[in-house]
Structures are given as C-alpha cells and as structure tokens.
Amino acid sequence: MSQLSGTDFVTDIYPNLSEEERVRVDLAAAYHLIEHFQMSDSIYTHISARVPGDNEYFLINPYGTRFSEVKASQLVTIDLDGKIIDDPCQMGANPAGFTIHSAIHAARHDLKCALHTHTVAGVSIASTQTGILPINQWSLQFYHGVSRHAYEGIALNLEERERLVNDLGSENKIMILDNHGLMTMGENVGEAFTLMFNLERVCKVQMSVLASGQAVNQIDSSVCDLTYQQYKQFAEMSLRDGFHVEWLAYLRLLEKVSPSYKE
Ligand SMILES: [Zn+2]
C-alpha cells in the first residue's frame, strides 16, 4: 500500500478480481466516500452500477444499510424493474429508490454508474431557478452539460421516467432534480463520484456567495468556455493504467478511514 499510484496500488486494491468484482469494489467505495464526505441522507438515496455483461443487471445497496456499512460482496443484484436477482444479506432493495436509476440505466448504456444525493447544499441549489451559476473556477466545469428535471412528487410513474430521460439527453452526465437533489453519472463509478464531489462543493460555495449578499464578480462567457474545455482536458490527462488518479487517491483514503468497503 506504499505506492501512491500506478499498477502496484491498483493490483493491491483489485487483486485478481473479475470485472464484476472490480465494479463491486468501486461501488462499495463510492458508498463509503459519500458517507465520509457527509453527503448521505440516512439510508436514503442510492448509487447504482451496471453489472458487466449482456444482462440488464445492476448493483445497489441492501435496503436499510448506512452507506458506511456497505460491502462489495453484499451488494444486491436487481434488474431494470427492481426485481431481486441476488441478495446475499436477504435485506432486499428499495425498488422506489431505484426508479430514477433504472430509467437512466435503460436509456444510457454508456453510463455504468448513477449517483443520487440529497444534501443541504444540493437541495438548496435544486430549489433555485438559476441552477449552477458560473461564478468561480470550480463551477465552470459545470458550465455546460448539466440537465434539469422538474419536480413531480416522490412517486415516479412510467411517463415521468420518459420525461426524466428526455431531460437528461444523450450526452449529459449531470442532472439537477428540481426541488429534490443532485444526480451524477459516469462511464465508471469513479467518474460519477468525482463529479458529485465537485458538484456538491460548487453548490456549497454558491450558497455561501448568495448568503453574503455581496455583488458577484462576473466572468466573461469566453473565459467560462475556455475553463470548461480545460477541465475536460485535465480529466483526460489524469488517467493512469485506465484509472483516474483522483479515484485512486480516494481509494487510498478509504484504506485509512474505512477499509471494510472491499470485503
Ligand atoms: Zn431522491
């Protein structure tokens, strides 16, 4: 565990794991990290990941577990309808909580993970008409690519799922659920988590700025565009052996503060 990055550390974290077992380790890690960074909402909200392979199967936490209790081997396998395929702990899953996730997984096969939160800052921004404001460097990574979906109540019927998928679109990976919370998605679990970590921080800053009542420095739209593109380039430059160095850094953090995730 002494290596800071690269194949030695990757081998330590994922020793001879199958593709599905790697996804399980990553997904359990994301649950622990969301709890560690105080973005959980008791036992509610979910993070889901697609099981590699031809089946439309997904992994989700056992219903009733705190996020820091989630273990890779105990994740529940469900299908797109929330029907349980495998449930090692016999705790079931929350099909209502999976409804939003299933709509996204069914429509966007490029997205392997969907992460949903209710946080004070996230719900606050989701309750405003302006959404994310381009008022600082952090926020400019979200200058483009953020969808919004209007609130329709807790129960999600089939028609709302269609509207939700239409609102997300074919390329975006971030969605503000109006008056409700935040959603990030990724081509892997690490991407969904890092997007959420950054989005949450942006929401916190924006609430602080709005609460200050002070006049805000405006950023020229050309600089906003430039910075957005720079963020995309940094993300591409940060891959090591197929893993994003930031995700590996978070896994090293968990080795110190919450290593049970990979059990
Ligand atoms: Zn929710």
Short mmCIF file of all heavy atoms in Angstrom, two decimals, residues 17-70:
data_model
loop_
_atom_site.label_atom_id
_atom_site.label_comp_id
_atom_site.label_asym_id
_atom_site.label_seq_id
_atom_site.Cartn_x
_atom_site.Cartn_y
_atom_site.Cartn_z
N LEU A 17 -9.19 -9.64 -9.46
CA LEU A 17 -10.65 -9.56 -9.41
C LEU A 17 -11.23 -9.68 -10.81
O LEU A 17 -10.64 -9.24 -11.78
CB LEU A 17 -11.11 -8.25 -8.79
CG LEU A 17 -10.72 -7.98 -7.33
CD1 LEU A 17 -11.39 -6.70 -6.85
CD2 LEU A 17 -11.13 -9.15 -6.44
N SER A 18 -12.43 -10.26 -10.88
CA SER A 18 -13.16 -10.27 -12.14
C SER A 18 -13.67 -8.86 -12.42
O SER A 18 -13.65 -7.99 -11.54
CB SER A 18 -14.34 -11.24 -12.05
OG SER A 18 -15.31 -10.72 -11.16
N GLU A 19 -14.19 -8.68 -13.64
CA GLU A 19 -14.73 -7.37 -13.99
C GLU A 19 -15.86 -6.97 -13.04
O GLU A 19 -15.93 -5.83 -12.59
CB GLU A 19 -15.24 -7.42 -15.44
CG GLU A 19 -14.93 -6.18 -16.24
CD GLU A 19 -15.45 -6.29 -17.66
OE1 GLU A 19 -15.48 -7.41 -18.20
OE2 GLU A 19 -15.84 -5.26 -18.18
N GLU A 20 -16.75 -7.91 -12.74
CA GLU A 20 -17.87 -7.59 -11.84
C GLU A 20 -17.35 -7.28 -10.44
O GLU A 20 -17.84 -6.35 -9.79
CB GLU A 20 -18.87 -8.73 -11.77
CG GLU A 20 -19.98 -8.43 -10.75
CD GLU A 20 -21.09 -9.46 -10.68
OE1 GLU A 20 -21.28 -10.20 -11.68
OE2 GLU A 20 -21.78 -9.51 -9.64
N GLU A 21 -16.36 -8.05 -9.98
CA GLU A 21 -15.84 -7.80 -8.63
C GLU A 21 -15.18 -6.42 -8.53
O GLU A 21 -15.28 -5.75 -7.50
CB GLU A 21 -14.84 -8.90 -8.25
CG GLU A 21 -15.51 -10.23 -7.96
CD GLU A 21 -14.53 -11.39 -7.87
OE1 GLU A 21 -13.46 -11.33 -8.51
OE2 GLU A 21 -14.84 -12.36 -7.17
N ARG A 22 -14.56 -5.98 -9.61
CA ARG A 22 -13.98 -4.62 -9.61
C ARG A 22 -15.07 -3.57 -9.49
O ARG A 22 -14.94 -2.59 -8.75
CB ARG A 22 -13.21 -4.37 -10.90
CG ARG A 22 -11.84 -4.98 -10.92
CD ARG A 22 -11.06 -4.46 -12.11
NE ARG A 22 -9.71 -5.01 -12.10
CZ ARG A 22 -8.67 -4.44 -12.69
NH1 ARG A 22 -8.83 -3.31 -13.35
NH2 ARG A 22 -7.48 -4.98 -12.63
N VAL A 23 -16.16 -3.77 -10.23
CA VAL A 23 -17.28 -2.83 -10.14
C VAL A 23 -17.84 -2.84 -8.73
O VAL A 23 -18.18 -1.78 -8.17
CB VAL A 23 -18.37 -3.18 -11.19
CG1 VAL A 23 -19.61 -2.31 -10.98
CG2 VAL A 23 -17.82 -3.00 -12.59
N ARG A 24 -17.94 -4.03 -8.13
CA ARG A 24 -18.46 -4.13 -6.76
C ARG A 24 -17.57 -3.34 -5.78
O ARG A 24 -18.07 -2.61 -4.91
CB ARG A 24 -18.52 -5.59 -6.31
CG ARG A 24 -19.69 -6.36 -6.91
CD ARG A 24 -19.65 -7.83 -6.55
NE ARG A 24 -20.87 -8.50 -6.92
CZ ARG A 24 -21.95 -8.59 -6.13
NH1 ARG A 24 -21.92 -8.06 -4.93
NH2 ARG A 24 -23.05 -9.18 -6.55
N VAL A 25 -16.25 -3.49 -5.91
CA VAL A 25 -15.32 -2.77 -5.02
C VAL A 25 -15.47 -1.26 -5.22
O VAL A 25 -15.56 -0.49 -4.25
CB VAL A 25 -13.87 -3.23 -5.29
CG1 VAL A 25 -12.87 -2.26 -4.67
CG2 VAL A 25 -13.66 -4.63 -4.75
N ASP A 26 -15.54 -0.83 -6.48
CA ASP A 26 -15.68 0.61 -6.75
C ASP A 26 -17.00 1.15 -6.19
O ASP A 26 -17.04 2.23 -5.60
CB ASP A 26 -15.62 0.87 -8.26
CG ASP A 26 -14.19 0.91 -8.78
OD1 ASP A 26 -13.26 0.94 -7.97
OD2 ASP A 26 -14.03 0.93 -10.01
N LEU A 27 -18.08 0.40 -6.40
CA LEU A 27 -19.39 0.88 -5.95
C LEU A 27 -19.45 0.96 -4.43
O LEU A 27 -19.92 1.96 -3.87
CB LEU A 27 -20.50 -0.04 -6.49
CG LEU A 27 -21.93 0.38 -6.14
CD1 LEU A 27 -22.25 1.77 -6.65
CD2 LEU A 27 -22.94 -0.63 -6.70
N ALA A 28 -18.94 -0.08 -3.75
CA ALA A 28 -18.91 -0.04 -2.28
C ALA A 28 -18.06 1.13 -1.80
O ALA A 28 -18.40 1.81 -0.83
CB ALA A 28 -18.38 -1.36 -1.73
N ALA A 29 -16.95 1.38 -2.50
CA ALA A 29 -16.09 2.52 -2.13
C ALA A 29 -16.86 3.83 -2.26
O ALA A 29 -16.75 4.71 -1.39
CB ALA A 29 -14.86 2.55 -3.04
N ALA A 30 -17.65 3.97 -3.32
CA ALA A 30 -18.40 5.22 -3.52
C ALA A 30 -19.40 5.44 -2.38
O ALA A 30 -19.56 6.56 -1.89
CB ALA A 30 -19.13 5.19 -4.86
N TYR A 31 -20.05 4.36 -1.93
CA TYR A 31 -20.96 4.50 -0.78
C TYR A 31 -20.20 5.01 0.44
O TYR A 31 -20.65 5.93 1.14
CB TYR A 31 -21.62 3.15 -0.46
CG TYR A 31 -22.87 2.85 -1.27
CD1 TYR A 31 -22.83 2.01 -2.37
CD2 TYR A 31 -24.09 3.42 -0.92
CE1 TYR A 31 -23.97 1.72 -3.11
CE2 TYR A 31 -25.24 3.15 -1.65
CZ TYR A 31 -25.18 2.29 -2.75
OH TYR A 31 -26.31 2.04 -3.47
N HIS A 32 -19.05 4.40 0.73
CA HIS A 32 -18.27 4.82 1.91
C HIS A 32 -17.80 6.26 1.78
O HIS A 32 -17.79 7.02 2.76
CB HIS A 32 -17.07 3.89 2.10
CG HIS A 32 -17.43 2.57 2.72
ND1 HIS A 32 -16.93 2.13 3.93
CD2 HIS A 32 -18.27 1.61 2.29
CE1 HIS A 32 -17.44 0.95 4.22
NE2 HIS A 32 -18.25 0.59 3.23
N LEU A 33 -17.40 6.65 0.56
CA LEU A 33 -16.90 8.02 0.37
C LEU A 33 -18.03 9.04 0.51
O LEU A 33 -17.82 10.13 1.07
CB LEU A 33 -16.24 8.14 -1.01
CG LEU A 33 -14.87 7.44 -1.12
CD1 LEU A 33 -14.48 7.26 -2.58
CD2 LEU A 33 -13.80 8.22 -0.35
N ILE A 34 -19.21 8.71 0.01
CA ILE A 34 -20.34 9.64 0.16
C ILE A 34 -20.64 9.85 1.64
O ILE A 34 -20.90 10.97 2.09
CB ILE A 34 -21.59 9.10 -0.59
CG1 ILE A 34 -21.37 9.22 -2.11
CG2 ILE A 34 -22.86 9.83 -0.16
CD1 ILE A 34 -21.37 10.64 -2.65
N GLU A 35 -20.58 8.78 2.43
CA GLU A 35 -20.79 8.93 3.87
C GLU A 35 -19.63 9.71 4.51
O GLU A 35 -19.85 10.61 5.31
CB GLU A 35 -20.88 7.54 4.53
CG GLU A 35 -21.06 7.59 6.04
CD GLU A 35 -22.46 7.18 6.47
OE1 GLU A 35 -23.40 7.25 5.66
OE2 GLU A 35 -22.59 6.78 7.64
N HIS A 36 -18.39 9.37 4.11
CA HIS A 36 -17.22 10.04 4.70
C HIS A 36 -17.28 11.55 4.49
O HIS A 36 -16.93 12.32 5.38
CB HIS A 36 -15.94 9.47 4.08
CG HIS A 36 -14.69 10.15 4.54
ND1 HIS A 36 -14.14 9.91 5.78
CD2 HIS A 36 -13.90 11.09 3.95
CE1 HIS A 36 -13.07 10.67 5.94
NE2 HIS A 36 -12.89 11.38 4.85
N PHE A 37 -17.71 11.97 3.30
CA PHE A 37 -17.77 13.39 2.98
C PHE A 37 -19.13 14.01 3.33
O PHE A 37 -19.47 15.09 2.83
CB PHE A 37 -17.41 13.63 1.52
CG PHE A 37 -15.95 13.39 1.22
CD1 PHE A 37 -15.55 12.32 0.45
CD2 PHE A 37 -14.99 14.25 1.73
CE1 PHE A 37 -14.20 12.10 0.19
CE2 PHE A 37 -13.64 14.05 1.46
CZ PHE A 37 -13.24 12.97 0.70
N GLN A 38 -19.91 13.29 4.14
CA GLN A 38 -21.16 13.81 4.69
C GLN A 38 -22.16 14.22 3.61
O GLN A 38 -22.80 15.26 3.69
CB GLN A 38 -20.88 14.98 5.65
CG GLN A 38 -19.95 14.57 6.80
CD GLN A 38 -19.71 15.66 7.81
OE1 GLN A 38 -19.57 16.82 7.43
NE2 GLN A 38 -19.66 15.30 9.07
N MET A 39 -22.28 13.35 2.61
CA MET A 39 -23.27 13.60 1.56
C MET A 39 -24.39 12.56 1.58
O MET A 39 -25.19 12.49 0.65
CB MET A 39 -22.59 13.60 0.18
CG MET A 39 -21.66 14.79 -0.05
SD MET A 39 -21.06 14.87 -1.76
CE MET A 39 -19.62 13.81 -1.66
N SER A 40 -24.46 11.74 2.63
CA SER A 40 -25.52 10.73 2.69
C SER A 40 -26.77 11.33 3.32
O SER A 40 -26.73 12.39 3.94
CB SER A 40 -25.04 9.51 3.49
OG SER A 40 -24.72 9.90 4.81
N ASP A 41 -27.90 10.63 3.16
CA ASP A 41 -29.17 11.05 3.73
C ASP A 41 -29.77 9.85 4.45
O ASP A 41 -30.65 9.18 3.91
CB ASP A 41 -30.11 11.54 2.61
CG ASP A 41 -31.46 11.99 3.15
OD1 ASP A 41 -31.59 12.16 4.38
OD2 ASP A 41 -32.40 12.15 2.33
N SER A 42 -29.22 9.55 5.63
CA SER A 42 -29.63 8.37 6.38
C SER A 42 -29.48 7.14 5.48
O SER A 42 -28.43 6.92 4.91
CB SER A 42 -31.07 8.56 6.87
OG SER A 42 -31.50 7.44 7.58
N ILE A 43 -30.54 6.35 5.33
CA ILE A 43 -30.45 5.14 4.48
C ILE A 43 -31.01 5.42 3.08
O ILE A 43 -31.16 4.50 2.28
CB ILE A 43 -31.24 3.97 5.12
CG1 ILE A 43 -32.72 4.34 5.26
CG2 ILE A 43 -30.64 3.58 6.46
CD1 ILE A 43 -33.61 3.16 5.63
N TYR A 44 -31.31 6.70 2.79
CA TYR A 44 -31.98 7.01 1.53
C TYR A 44 -30.97 7.50 0.48
O TYR A 44 -29.84 7.78 0.78
CB TYR A 44 -33.09 8.04 1.76
CG TYR A 44 -34.08 7.50 2.75
CD1 TYR A 44 -34.10 7.97 4.06
CD2 TYR A 44 -34.94 6.46 2.40
CE1 TYR A 44 -34.98 7.43 4.99
CE2 TYR A 44 -35.81 5.92 3.32
CZ TYR A 44 -35.83 6.40 4.61
OH TYR A 44 -36.68 5.86 5.53
N THR A 45 -31.46 7.65 -0.70
CA THR A 45 -30.72 7.89 -1.96
C THR A 45 -29.86 6.65 -2.25
O THR A 45 -29.59 5.83 -1.37
CB THR A 45 -29.84 9.15 -1.99
OG1 THR A 45 -28.57 8.90 -1.38
CG2 THR A 45 -30.54 10.35 -1.41
N HIS A 46 -29.44 6.53 -3.48
CA HIS A 46 -28.74 5.32 -3.90
C HIS A 46 -27.61 5.63 -4.87
O HIS A 46 -27.61 6.68 -5.51
CB HIS A 46 -29.71 4.34 -4.57
CG HIS A 46 -30.79 3.89 -3.65
ND1 HIS A 46 -30.59 2.98 -2.64
CD2 HIS A 46 -32.09 4.25 -3.57
CE1 HIS A 46 -31.71 2.80 -1.97
NE2 HIS A 46 -32.64 3.56 -2.52
N ILE A 47 -26.70 4.68 -4.95
CA ILE A 47 -25.71 4.67 -6.02
C ILE A 47 -25.86 3.31 -6.69
O ILE A 47 -25.88 2.28 -6.00
CB ILE A 47 -24.27 4.83 -5.49
CG1 ILE A 47 -24.21 5.90 -4.40
CG2 ILE A 47 -23.32 5.15 -6.63
CD1 ILE A 47 -22.88 5.92 -3.65
N SER A 48 -25.99 3.29 -7.98
CA SER A 48 -26.17 2.03 -8.70
C SER A 48 -25.10 1.89 -9.76
O SER A 48 -24.59 2.88 -10.28
CB SER A 48 -27.56 1.97 -9.35
OG SER A 48 -27.72 3.04 -10.26
N ALA A 49 -24.77 0.63 -10.06
CA ALA A 49 -23.77 0.37 -11.11
C ALA A 49 -24.22 -0.81 -11.96
O ALA A 49 -24.82 -1.77 -11.44
CB ALA A 49 -22.41 0.08 -10.49
N ARG A 50 -23.95 -0.72 -13.23
CA ARG A 50 -24.31 -1.79 -14.17
C ARG A 50 -23.37 -2.98 -13.98
O ARG A 50 -22.14 -2.80 -13.89
CB ARG A 50 -24.21 -1.24 -15.61
CG ARG A 50 -24.50 -2.25 -16.70
CD ARG A 50 -24.38 -1.60 -18.07
NE ARG A 50 -25.47 -0.68 -18.35
CZ ARG A 50 -26.67 -1.04 -18.84
NH1 ARG A 50 -26.90 -2.30 -19.12
NH2 ARG A 50 -27.59 -0.14 -19.04
N VAL A 51 -23.93 -4.18 -13.92
CA VAL A 51 -23.11 -5.40 -13.87
C VAL A 51 -22.55 -5.65 -15.27
O VAL A 51 -23.32 -5.67 -16.24
CB VAL A 51 -23.95 -6.61 -13.42
CG1 VAL A 51 -23.12 -7.88 -13.47
CG2 VAL A 51 -24.51 -6.38 -12.01
N PRO A 52 -21.24 -5.81 -15.40
CA PRO A 52 -20.67 -6.07 -16.74
C PRO A 52 -21.27 -7.34 -17.34
O PRO A 52 -21.54 -8.30 -16.63
CB PRO A 52 -19.17 -6.27 -16.45
CG PRO A 52 -18.93 -5.59 -15.14
CD PRO A 52 -20.20 -5.75 -14.36
N GLY A 53 -21.49 -7.31 -18.64
CA GLY A 53 -22.07 -8.48 -19.30
C GLY A 53 -23.31 -8.12 -20.08
O GLY A 53 -23.67 -6.95 -20.19
N ASP A 54 -23.98 -9.14 -20.61
CA ASP A 54 -25.12 -8.91 -21.51
C ASP A 54 -26.43 -8.68 -20.78
O ASP A 54 -27.36 -8.12 -21.35
CB ASP A 54 -25.28 -10.11 -22.46
CG ASP A 54 -24.06 -10.26 -23.36
OD1 ASP A 54 -23.41 -9.22 -23.65
OD2 ASP A 54 -23.74 -11.39 -23.76
N ASN A 55 -26.52 -9.13 -19.53
CA ASN A 55 -27.79 -8.96 -18.80
C ASN A 55 -27.96 -7.51 -18.37
O ASN A 55 -27.00 -6.81 -18.10
CB ASN A 55 -27.81 -9.85 -17.55
CG ASN A 55 -27.88 -11.32 -17.92
OD1 ASN A 55 -28.58 -11.68 -18.86
ND2 ASN A 55 -27.14 -12.14 -17.21
N GLU A 56 -29.22 -7.08 -18.28
CA GLU A 56 -29.52 -5.74 -17.77
C GLU A 56 -29.65 -5.85 -16.25
O GLU A 56 -30.74 -5.70 -15.70
CB GLU A 56 -30.81 -5.22 -18.40
CG GLU A 56 -30.72 -4.99 -19.89
CD GLU A 56 -30.23 -3.57 -20.22
OE1 GLU A 56 -30.61 -2.63 -19.53
OE2 GLU A 56 -29.44 -3.43 -21.17
N TYR A 57 -28.51 -6.13 -15.59
CA TYR A 57 -28.50 -6.27 -14.14
C TYR A 57 -27.69 -5.12 -13.52
O TYR A 57 -26.73 -4.62 -14.12
CB TYR A 57 -27.87 -7.60 -13.72
CG TYR A 57 -28.70 -8.82 -14.05
CD1 TYR A 57 -28.11 -10.08 -14.08
CD2 TYR A 57 -30.07 -8.72 -14.31
CE1 TYR A 57 -28.86 -11.22 -14.37
CE2 TYR A 57 -30.82 -9.84 -14.61
CZ TYR A 57 -30.21 -11.09 -14.64
OH TYR A 57 -30.95 -12.21 -14.93
N PHE A 58 -28.09 -4.79 -12.28
CA PHE A 58 -27.49 -3.63 -11.61
C PHE A 58 -27.21 -3.96 -10.15
O PHE A 58 -27.89 -4.80 -9.56
CB PHE A 58 -28.43 -2.43 -11.73
CG PHE A 58 -28.78 -2.15 -13.15
CD1 PHE A 58 -29.87 -2.78 -13.73
CD2 PHE A 58 -27.96 -1.36 -13.93
CE1 PHE A 58 -30.17 -2.59 -15.07
CE2 PHE A 58 -28.25 -1.17 -15.27
CZ PHE A 58 -29.34 -1.79 -15.85
N LEU A 59 -26.22 -3.29 -9.61
CA LEU A 59 -25.86 -3.46 -8.21
C LEU A 59 -26.32 -2.25 -7.41
O LEU A 59 -26.21 -1.11 -7.88
CB LEU A 59 -24.34 -3.63 -8.07
CG LEU A 59 -23.76 -4.85 -8.77
CD1 LEU A 59 -22.23 -4.72 -8.90
CD2 LEU A 59 -24.13 -6.13 -8.03
N ILE A 60 -26.82 -2.51 -6.20
CA ILE A 60 -27.31 -1.44 -5.34
C ILE A 60 -27.14 -1.89 -3.89
O ILE A 60 -26.93 -3.08 -3.63
CB ILE A 60 -28.80 -1.13 -5.69
CG1 ILE A 60 -29.22 0.24 -5.17
CG2 ILE A 60 -29.72 -2.24 -5.21
CD1 ILE A 60 -30.53 0.73 -5.78
N ASN A 61 -27.23 -0.95 -2.96
CA ASN A 61 -27.00 -1.33 -1.56
C ASN A 61 -28.20 -2.09 -0.98
O ASN A 61 -29.35 -1.84 -1.36
CB ASN A 61 -26.72 -0.08 -0.71
CG ASN A 61 -27.87 0.91 -0.72
OD1 ASN A 61 -28.48 1.14 -1.76
ND2 ASN A 61 -28.17 1.48 0.43
N PRO A 62 -27.94 -2.99 -0.03
CA PRO A 62 -29.05 -3.63 0.68
C PRO A 62 -29.89 -2.57 1.38
O PRO A 62 -29.35 -1.64 1.98
CB PRO A 62 -28.35 -4.55 1.70
CG PRO A 62 -26.96 -4.73 1.18
CD PRO A 62 -26.63 -3.45 0.47
N TYR A 63 -31.21 -2.72 1.31
CA TYR A 63 -32.11 -1.69 1.85
C TYR A 63 -31.99 -1.62 3.38
O TYR A 63 -32.09 -2.64 4.06
CB TYR A 63 -33.56 -1.97 1.46
CG TYR A 63 -34.50 -0.85 1.82
CD1 TYR A 63 -34.16 0.48 1.57
CD2 TYR A 63 -35.73 -1.11 2.41
CE1 TYR A 63 -35.02 1.51 1.89
CE2 TYR A 63 -36.61 -0.08 2.73
CZ TYR A 63 -36.24 1.23 2.47
OH TYR A 63 -37.09 2.25 2.79
N GLY A 64 -31.77 -0.42 3.88
CA GLY A 64 -31.67 -0.22 5.32
C GLY A 64 -30.24 -0.05 5.81
O GLY A 64 -30.04 0.24 6.99
N THR A 65 -29.27 -0.23 4.94
CA THR A 65 -27.88 -0.08 5.38
C THR A 65 -27.44 1.38 5.32
O THR A 65 -27.80 2.11 4.39
CB THR A 65 -26.92 -0.88 4.48
OG1 THR A 65 -27.23 -0.63 3.11
CG2 THR A 65 -27.04 -2.37 4.75
N ARG A 66 -26.66 1.78 6.34
CA ARG A 66 -25.96 3.05 6.22
C ARG A 66 -24.88 2.87 5.16
O ARG A 66 -24.36 1.78 4.96
CB ARG A 66 -25.32 3.47 7.55
CG ARG A 66 -26.29 3.81 8.65
CD ARG A 66 -25.57 4.53 9.80
NE ARG A 66 -24.27 3.96 10.10
CZ ARG A 66 -24.08 2.88 10.86
NH1 ARG A 66 -25.11 2.27 11.41
NH2 ARG A 66 -22.87 2.43 11.09
N PHE A 67 -24.52 3.97 4.51
CA PHE A 67 -23.57 3.85 3.40
C PHE A 67 -22.22 3.28 3.86
O PHE A 67 -21.56 2.56 3.12
CB PHE A 67 -23.37 5.20 2.72
CG PHE A 67 -24.52 5.60 1.81
CD1 PHE A 67 -25.74 4.94 1.86
CD2 PHE A 67 -24.36 6.62 0.89
CE1 PHE A 67 -26.79 5.29 1.02
CE2 PHE A 67 -25.40 6.98 0.04
CZ PHE A 67 -26.61 6.33 0.11
N SER A 68 -21.81 3.59 5.09
CA SER A 68 -20.51 3.10 5.58
C SER A 68 -20.56 1.62 5.94
O SER A 68 -19.53 1.03 6.25
CB SER A 68 -20.06 3.92 6.79
OG SER A 68 -21.01 3.82 7.83
N GLU A 69 -21.75 1.01 5.92
CA GLU A 69 -21.87 -0.42 6.21
C GLU A 69 -21.80 -1.27 4.95
O GLU A 69 -21.74 -2.50 5.03
CB GLU A 69 -23.21 -0.70 6.91
CG GLU A 69 -23.34 -0.07 8.27
CD GLU A 69 -24.71 -0.29 8.87
OE1 GLU A 69 -25.73 -0.10 8.16
OE2 GLU A 69 -24.77 -0.65 10.06
N VAL A 70 -21.86 -0.63 3.78
CA VAL A 70 -21.92 -1.37 2.52
C VAL A 70 -20.60 -2.10 2.27
O VAL A 70 -19.52 -1.56 2.48
CB VAL A 70 -22.22 -0.39 1.35
CG1 VAL A 70 -22.08 -1.10 0.01
CG2 VAL A 70 -23.62 0.20 1.51
#
